[in-house]
Amino acid sequence: MQEQLFSPKDPQVLKAEKLQIASRRKKDSSLKLLFIAATSIGILALILLLATILVDGLSSLTPDLFKNYPSRRAASSGLKSALVGTIYMVLIMVPISFLIGVGAAIFMQEYAKKGWITKIIQLNISTLAGVPSIVYGILGLTIFVRGLQLDRSLLSGALTMSLLVLPVIIVSAQEAIKAVPNTRRDASLALGATKWQTVQRAVLPSALPGILTGVILAVSRAIGETAPLVMIGALTYVAFLPDNVLDQFTVMPIQIYNWISKPQTEFHDLAAAGIIVLLVMLLVLNMIAVILRNRFQKNL
Amino acid sequence: MKRVMSLITILSLTFALAACGNGNNAANNAKVTNGAQENAGNTTETAALTGTIEIDGSSTVYPITEAVAEEFGKENKDVRVTVGVSGTGGGFKRFAAGETAISNASRPIKDAEAELAKTNGVEYIELEVAYDGLSVLVNPENDWVDHLTTAELHEIFKPGSTVMKWSDVRSEWPAEDIKIFSPGADSGTFDYFTETINDEAQASRNDAMVTFSEDDNTLVQGVEGEKYALGYFGFAYYEENKDKLKLVPIDGGTGPISPSAETINDGTYAPLSRPLYIYVNKAFMDKPEVKAFVDYFLSNAAELSEEVGYIRLPQEKYDEGAAKLQ
């Protein structure tokens, strides 16, 4: 064999080999082009979207946009009530979904015995993460708006959104808790710590960045959602700020949708400005999530 | 690692605390506002109006109500008016349950809805507030259509229509596929058009020739970009896009008439102009802020509806409405 490798080859075999290599290279480079094309289609679409929105919206992105309530005149129309509504909703939603979501994740990972019941619960949670958001709207309408008589209030909206993001938070918190090495638990238990002390002092601190990443991603999903809030009846014209959790409210995506469906083009520019504000909020949240994740990976 | 962790913990704690604090403040505020409202209820009518007025219903009527709410809000800062867009049917559902004070409607209340209101003990007043002219439009490059009769519209839009090309409407027109742009089935515009042209609400052709959209701006873009297009939607959307669309005069039996502020107002643009309504729950009229709002609505509807692209009613109609309120 070795001799053959170094011996001069039959020119015809050599030619065939060269051809084979060339065709392989060709295949390789054409596939590379294909993958570049696949990547760039997504990126180009995003760039195109951003460019058109920036062109349309930048001129409307003024301080007035944040100071004004909705109005029939584009010039004096703003998203104050929508922006504040979105922020309030998130502020109520985060503690609720954080406590319930992380609690459920701790139970599933640390306390629950592995059996068919936990498997079924696990399957249910994963399935819930994929349920269309409008279904949560119907659920919220039935339970919170009608059942608990909370009406079309900020609290109903925040609770409905909590339901929507809970599966996402539970799953990501479970992953984060799972990633904590068992040695930490064992060491803690060996020192005589109880289960809760172990969870509290050994597991949660290492899992927290991962959990927070999940929470932030869930929040960014909630900020962009319209369907469930339309279902529970978040309103379009709200010219006041809610000063109590039972007040009515509106949110950014609803305001943007309302502007887009108006006949006057000035409102479409306002909608584009609203989209920029929403995008910036989402980007900031996602950036925080990425930073947290990087810290987490570095320190594990 | 430790510093980062504690930083994160502190951050999340402050976040949670801030949120809790916010909740507490809100609860306190709630008590204060409720108290204020009770006080206001006890004082005489000369005091500034307070309270909440909940309105829901048609998205077609929404711009008018929004404009009225905006102007009313400037004069009555403590009255909170909210306007939703659940659609005429969705709005009536809530109205009949007694949840809303006022319902916007782009068609009169249906028997079933009125029945439901009756069983729930909801009595109401129907008020006309403006006209909307459904406009039939073609592409500006379309130089063959001078007008359409309602019979021709029926042939084009009836369920199972066989009109595929413009030449199927009139033989001298081009033998090109007709591209139809229609509002979607959830809109009151579609309800009204199909009822008027096809004699049955919701009855419309539904084949590959028709593009449906709930967003009127999509319809505008469709007709604008397609030489052989035909579409219909509210007059306000034509007014904002005059240079991109060509209006088709409609012959309802008395010769072709183009929709305009005059022809819609005096009723000559028939049958495609329709009145827009608000329905007021009588029980809510006892509240001074609701009565003030409805009065304000009627006395300013003419001007404000024109400003947002609709057509004012003749003055007698507003006077009739005001008389109903007494």
Side-chain angles (χ1 to χ4, degrees), chain B residues 17-244:
Chain B
L17 275 178
C20 293
N22 189 38
N24 287 342
N25 286 343
N28 292 339
N29 283 345
K31 277 175 209 150
V32 174
T33 16
N34 282 343
Q37 272 170 14
E38 274 160 32
N39 286 342
N42 294 334
T43 49
T44 49
E45 275 190 14
T46 47
L49 294 168
T50 59
T52 310
I53 306 175
E54 228 180 294
I55 307 173
D56 204 343
S58 162
S59 57
T60 310
V61 188
Y62 171 80
I64 305 174
T65 310
E66 179 195 36
V68 175
E70 190 186 346
E71 289 303 313
F72 182 79
K74 280 182 192 157
E75 290 172 25
N76 301 278
K77 291 217 181 324
D78 295 326
V79 180
R80 300 176 146 199
V81 185
T82 62
V83 192
V85 280
S86 301
T88 302
F92 273 136
K93 226 176 258 171
R94 295 188 59 200
F95 183 73
E99 289 180 22
T100 50
I102 297 171
S103 208
N104 293 329
S106 60
R107 57 162 171 76
I109 193 165
K110 285 179 185 163
D111 290 345
E113 291 159 345
E115 201 65 36
L116 189 66
K118 207 176 172 188
T119 44
N120 290 330
V122 172
E123 288 183 57
Y124 54 81
I125 308 166
E126 177 192 278
L127 299 168
E128 288 184 22
V129 291
Y131 285 131
D132 182 20
L134 296 195
S135 310
V136 179
L137 298 131
V138 290
N139 190 278
E141 283 178 48
N142 180 326
D143 50 9
W144 58 93
V145 174
D146 52 344
H147 76 277
L148 284 166
T149 65
T150 44
E152 283 165 342
L153 282 177
H154 176 67
E155 281 307 311
I156 298 171
F157 283 96
K158 72 180 180 187
S161 165
T162 51
V163 176
M164 296 297 160
K165 297 182 188 308
W166 279 99
S167 54
D168 294 339
V169 185
R170 281 184 217 166
S171 51
E172 65 267 30
W173 287 352
E176 295 283 350
D177 280 357
I178 188 165
K179 299 263 166 57
I180 298 171
F181 292 89
S182 162
D186 283 343
S187 75
T189 314
F190 178 79
D191 267 347
Y192 188 83
F193 186 88
T194 46
E195 189 167 351
T196 314
I197 298 299
N198 296 335
D199 295 322
E200 191 193 335
Q202 300 273 335
S204 165
R205 76 184 294 175
N206 184 7
D207 53 27
M209 312 298 285
V210 195
T211 307
F212 290 98
S213 173
E214 299 294 340
D215 181 358
D216 290 333
N217 287 312
T218 311
L219 302 175
V220 170
Q221 282 164 12
V223 177
E224 183 193 348
E226 173 63 55
K227 188 178 173 188
Y228 298 100
L230 174 73
Y232 70 90
F233 36 80
F235 189 65
Y237 286 85
Y238 164 70
E239 283 222 301
E240 287 300 325
N241 299 284
K242 275 181 182 163
D243 44 335
K244 302 172 193 162

Side-chain angles (χ1 to χ4, degrees), chain A residues 156-286:
Chain A
S156 300
L159 289 174
T160 309
M161 280 306 191
S162 302
L163 284 186
L164 175 79
V165 298
L166 261 182
V168 181
I169 293 181
I170 296 175
V171 170
S172 60
Q174 274 185 304
E175 291 303 320
I177 291 171
K178 221 186 270 175
V180 177
N182 257 330
T183 46
R184 287 186 78 108
R185 291 185 188 85
D186 296 344
S188 168
L189 291 170
L191 287 170
T194 62
K195 190 97 189 177
W196 167 238
Q197 283 169 328
T198 306
V199 169
Q200 183 194 7
R201 295 182 196 160
V203 178
L204 277 188
S206 331
L208 203 57
I211 295 174
L212 288 181
T213 308
V215 171
I216 289 168
L217 290 180
V219 167
S220 19
R221 178 174 176 198
I223 287 180
E225 275 294 347
T226 339
L229 292 175
V230 169
M231 198 67 216
I232 68 158
L235 298 141
T236 308
Y237 182 80
V238 176
F240 55 82
L241 300 182
D243 54 20
N244 128 26
V245 289
L246 293 177
D247 264 345
Q248 291 168 318
F249 72 112
T250 188
V251 290
M252 303 265 296
I254 293 184
Q255 186 63 61
I256 291 169
Y257 177 76
N258 177 251
W259 279 337
I260 286 209
S261 56
K262 291 219 177 196
Q264 295 86 353
T265 43
E266 297 84 17
F267 279 108
H268 303 167
D269 295 346
L270 271 182
I275 292 171
I276 296 176
V277 176
L278 198 62
L279 267 179
V280 169
M281 283 170 87
L282 289 173
L283 280 179
V284 168
L285 281 172
N286 279 322

